[in-house]
């Protein structure tokens, strides 16, 4: 099975220092089963650091080796997964003894739900339902040197600041979802009306065309431009 890591560097020898922040499963080396997700991360790192290029590092996972490792696998979003992630995020001295942890990859939208959990704004059942709707991709995290021996580096594919139209098509739904949420929350429009406004806007034409490079803008920047296009007094 192949795993992928988006990075600014070629990472032939995975170490815990690559992404050693306290993340979903604690300090460790993280890779995803989604090549597209890894590429999007590589693109984001390139933009954040104003780098000329980044890489999608590809590894072969020795699944047989996992039989001798202490593995924890979450089958999608669940209460047990959410508790495990929040323990890692919130409990200062929390640790575990797993070699490998497998579970959903939390993205920006998932972190928003985590904030709701921390602030006790929503019921846990509602947060679980919202997280499941995000269709989070799967990730593997490696927490011991023994676990890292199950990974074999294959190659690093360079990434430049350009997406194919097919890749852009896969990226657009997440951007549109954010814009819909903002319009709905700020103006109380129905989902259909929000989508009508977005899909008939000049912003959408720019966003859906790779050469404009609008796909790399964050949701807030896109939303501000949409409001500017709609004009003063719109939605009142």
């Amino acid at each position: 099975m192949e795993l992928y890591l988006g990075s600014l560097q070629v990472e032939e020898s995975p170490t815990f220092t690559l992404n050693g922040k306290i993340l979903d499963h604690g300090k460790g080396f993280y890779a995803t089963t989604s090549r597209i997700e890894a590429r999007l991360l590589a693109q984001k790192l390139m933009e954040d650091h104003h780098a000329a290029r980044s890489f999608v590092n590809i590894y072969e996972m020795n699944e047989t080796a996992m039989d001798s490792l202490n593995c924890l696998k979450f089958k999608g979003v669940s209460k047990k997964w959410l508790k495990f992630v929040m323990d890692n995020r919130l409990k200062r001295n929390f640790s575990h003894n797993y070699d490998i942890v497998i579970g959903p990859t939390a993205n920006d939208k998932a972190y928003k739900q985590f904030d709701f959990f921390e602030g006790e704004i929503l019921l846990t059942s509602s947060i679980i339902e919202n997280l499941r709707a995000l269709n989070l991709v799967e990730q593997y995290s490696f927490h011991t040197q023994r676990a890292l021996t199950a990974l074999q580096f294959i190659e690093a594919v360079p990434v430049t600041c350009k997406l194919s139209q097919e890749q852009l098509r896969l990226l657009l739904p997440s951007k549109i979802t954010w814009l819909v949420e903002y319009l709905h929350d700020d103006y109380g429009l129905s989902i259909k009306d929000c989508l009508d406004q977005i899909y008939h806007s000049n912003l959408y034409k720019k966003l859906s065309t790779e050469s404009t490079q609008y796909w790399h803008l964050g949701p807030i920047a896109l939303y501000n431009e949409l409001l500017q296009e709609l004009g003063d007094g719109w939605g009142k």
Side-chain angles (χ1 to χ4, degrees):
M1 178 182 64
E2 287 189 348
L3 295 177
Y4 309 96
L5 168 70
S7 174
L8 291 174
Q9 305 171 19
V10 175
E11 308 292 358
E12 294 188 33
S13 302
T15 67
F16 301 136
T17 57
L18 287 177
N19 35 19
K21 297 184 295 183
I22 301 302
L23 297 174
D24 302 349
H25 307 156
K27 184 178 180 179
F29 177 84
Y30 288 72
T32 177
T33 57
S34 169
R35 187 165 185 159
I36 292 176
E37 189 76 13
R39 183 182 176 92
L40 291 175
L41 174 59
Q43 292 277 5
K44 185 177 186 303
L45 289 171
M46 191 162 41
E47 295 155 15
D48 291 346
H49 294 271
H50 305 290
R53 66 175 181 173
S54 57
F55 299 89
V56 172
N57 292 274
I58 305 173
Y59 305 91
E60 180 67 27
M61 175 69 189
N62 184 346
E63 295 181 77
T64 302
M66 291 178 60
D67 294 338
S68 61
L69 296 171
N70 185 17
C71 301
L72 173 64
K73 181 168 185 177
F74 295 99
K75 295 182 179 180
V77 173
S78 65
K79 289 184 179 180
K80 288 184 177 180
W81 171 78
L82 179 60
K83 182 180 185 305
F84 184 78
V85 170
M86 298 311 296
D87 283 346
N88 278 290
R89 283 169 56 88
L90 299 178
K91 294 184 179 180
R92 186 171 183 180
N93 297 318
F94 181 80
S95 63
H96 61 77
N97 61 352
Y98 295 105
D99 295 307
I100 298 175
V101 179
I102 307 164
T105 302
N107 56 24
D108 289 343
K109 293 181 183 178
Y111 289 136
K112 184 177 181 180
Q113 296 301 317
F114 293 163
D115 290 340
F116 291 152
F117 182 91
E118 293 177 34
E120 299 182 346
I121 297 172
L122 295 177
L123 295 175
T124 300
S125 57
S126 298
I127 294 173
I128 293 293
E129 183 179 348
N130 293 341
L131 286 167
R132 285 174 176 166
L134 297 179
N135 295 317
L136 303 176
V137 301
E138 192 173 60
Q139 67 181 354
Y140 282 60
S141 57
F142 300 78
H143 303 277
T144 62
Q145 289 295 335
R146 185 164 164 251
L148 287 177
T149 62
L151 276 183
Q152 179 184 357
F153 176 78
I154 303 300
E155 65 174 327
V157 179
V159 176
T160 58
C161 289
K162 185 176 179 63
L163 288 179
S164 68
Q165 281 299 133
E166 174 62 19
Q167 291 166 330
L168 182 58
R169 184 185 67 80
L170 295 172
L171 176 64
L172 279 180
S174 63
K175 301 280 187 180
I176 299 303
T177 298
W178 277 109
L179 294 176
V180 168
E181 288 183 4
Y182 290 154
L183 282 178
H184 174 72
D185 291 347
D186 288 350
Y187 296 98
L189 298 180
S190 67
I191 300 301
K192 181 181 182 301
D193 287 342
C194 290
L195 289 171
D196 284 344
Q197 291 295 334
I198 294 167
Y199 285 132
H200 289 89
S201 67
N202 288 326
L203 174 66
Y204 179 74
K205 293 179 182 178
K206 296 175 184 177
L207 185 58
S208 58
T209 304
E210 194 283 329
S211 60
T212 66
Q213 298 289 293
Y214 263 61
W215 53 266
H216 74 84
L217 295 178
I220 294 178
L222 291 171
Y223 183 57
N224 287 336
E225 178 153 339
L226 177 63
L227 292 183
Q228 185 175 0
E229 177 185 336
L230 295 173
D232 295 335
W234 179 84
K236 295 182 179 180

